Amino acid sequence: MAEQQRVAVVGAGLAGCLLATLLGRRGIAVSVYERREDPRVTGAERGRSINLAISARGLDALEHVGLREQALGQALPMHGRMIHGTDGTQGFQSYSADGTRAINSISRSELNHALLDAAEKTPGVTLHFGRRLRDVDLNTGTLAFDDGTSAPADIVLASDGSYSAARRAVTFREGFTFSQDYLEHGYKELTIPAQNGAPAANGGVAGGGSKFALDPDALHIWPRGESMMIALPNLDRSFTCTLFWPKGELAALQTDEQITGYFRTHYPDAAPLMPTLVEDYRLNPVGSLVTVKAWPWVHHGGSATLALVGDAAHAIVPFFGQGANCALEDCVEIDRCLGEFGGDWQRALAEYERRRKANCDAIAEMALDNFVEMRDRVNSPVYRAKMAGQHFLERRLPGHYVSRYELVSFTTMPYARIPARMRRQGRLTAVAGAGLLAGTLAIVRRALR
């Protein structure tokens, strides 16, 4: 049945390319339509190259198409956070209790290129660039493009991002629920280039050559209460920095002196490492941070079925590093459901929707919470004591007590199961703590008799 369907994937980003490759390997002919020209030729847009933190879920998805090792070869492991104070001091916080697990910094564009190559090499997959979607008519099974052309489709898989053009075909349908919740914060990218003559501790031999200006084994965070800056390492030994500030603050710095003065005051250890700070700040765009929720994800018309995938269904803010990981999981789930239901698209898509919705809602909430943690809590002595306690319990109770961060980043446990797991662990540790306190008090009382 699957082989008889005309399948269109809208969007050739990470999810669209992975999904097309998975379907092509299943013997399904797929046409992929992308509004941009081929990014392998044109390159990334200025200030839009945000690095990704690929972790267990994304790597598991890439393994399905043989790209896991290639991705890791293009990535840099980060075993923890490096917290930068306003006085220039730094403190490292490991992501895992034993210090061995890492998330991986990888260029979004490089990973997209690898997935485009994989899709292009897959029999049955055809890539179409420069095809901006204008409309999807589910009654006739027709995709209409801005250039005046059209294409037929029985199955339309919308993986064209937070502002999905394909989703507009169902936005005003009765029964469709859709929300966009924007943070007051925007983001802007800056750069710390590779340094010449940097200390040997920062990734090279002292006395010559190009070095990392900061420790490349960490995701660097400059938490400042209501705002923050982060920096992720690149293979060329530069760092991609991203400001997450209220949009009013981003607009407030107008002159060169205001920009440089603000950074010298609030980011004193980073400012000297940014020779293009003013140029980057002025020229790089401000992006928005949005959480998208939609339901249902699957819609049937007279001749075609539309399914929302990745950010088109459930865009999340980037503060748990799970946006791409989550979208890639969607693709694997669709492929898995097709296998389970013998290629029956209707049953497969219904099951995909059922399995994924609660998980995507759960990670959306955790990502919002992690923003507060990254910009504020990580500086707190109470937070540091809590993390030390969690790591102690993880070492003493391996496999039984696992932190939320590890469950999200280093396992493929369904996101929706993690909050309940954390509540159970919290109750057990509270009971254990109360028992320990009671035992200690009993010992003290006996000693004082």
Side-chain angles (χ1 to χ4, degrees), residues 137-141 173 299-305:
D137 188 333
L138 297 182
N139 291 322
T140 62
R173 275 195 168 196
H299 300 265
H300 307 288
S303 296
T305 295

Side-chain angles (χ1 to χ4, degrees), residues 310-387:
D311 285 355
H314 52 74
I316 64 176
V317 293
F319 305 113
F320 225 128
Q322 289 298 302
N325 290 281
C326 183
L328 295 176
E329 271 195 326
D330 284 355
C331 303
V332 172
E333 195 62 66
I334 290 173
D335 183 59
R336 181 181 293 120
C337 290
L338 279 169
E340 291 176 10
F341 291 103
D344 185 328
W345 274 102
Q346 305 307 320
R347 295 174 66 196
L349 291 176
E351 184 64 10
Y352 149 73
E353 176 185 56
R354 186 192 70 79
R355 292 180 185 177
R356 292 296 293 162
K357 173 61 174 171
N359 289 309
C360 297
D361 285 349
I363 190 56
E365 295 305 314
M366 288 189 280
L368 288 166
D369 180 69
N370 217 47
F371 183 31
V372 180
E373 178 172 308
M374 291 175 71
R375 77 185 196 214
D376 192 8
R377 295 180 197 149
V378 291
N379 262 338
S380 165
V382 174
Y383 173 85
R384 293 195 294 271
K386 175 185 174 183
M387 295 306 297

Side-chain angles (χ1 to χ4, degrees), residues 48 50 163 181-189 222-230 242-251 262 267 281 285-291 316-319 367-376:
R48 298 293 193 189
I50 290 182
Y163 306 104
D181 294 319
Y182 287 88
L183 293 182
E184 65 167 333
H185 297 70
Y187 69 85
K188 181 186 286 285
E189 284 196 353
W222 288 259
R224 299 296 183 259
E226 287 299 310
S227 63
M228 69 175 180
M229 180 172 75
I230 67 170
T242 309
L243 302 174
F244 297 101
W245 292 3
K247 288 187 176 179
E249 291 185 18
L250 285 166
Y262 188 94
Y267 305 100
Y281 195 93
V286 175
S288 296
L289 298 165
V290 63
T291 300
I316 64 176
V317 293
F319 305 113
L368 288 166
D369 180 69
N370 217 47
F371 183 31
V372 180
E373 178 172 308
M374 291 175 71
R375 77 185 196 214
D376 192 8

Side-chain angles (χ1 to χ4, degrees), residues 76-100:
L76 289 166
M78 301 177 294
H79 286 85
R81 300 166 170 167
M82 187 69 76
I83 309 302
H84 296 250
T86 54
D87 59 356
T89 58
Q90 300 180 21
F92 183 78
Q93 298 177 2
S94 176
Y95 282 136
S96 64
D98 60 8
T100 62

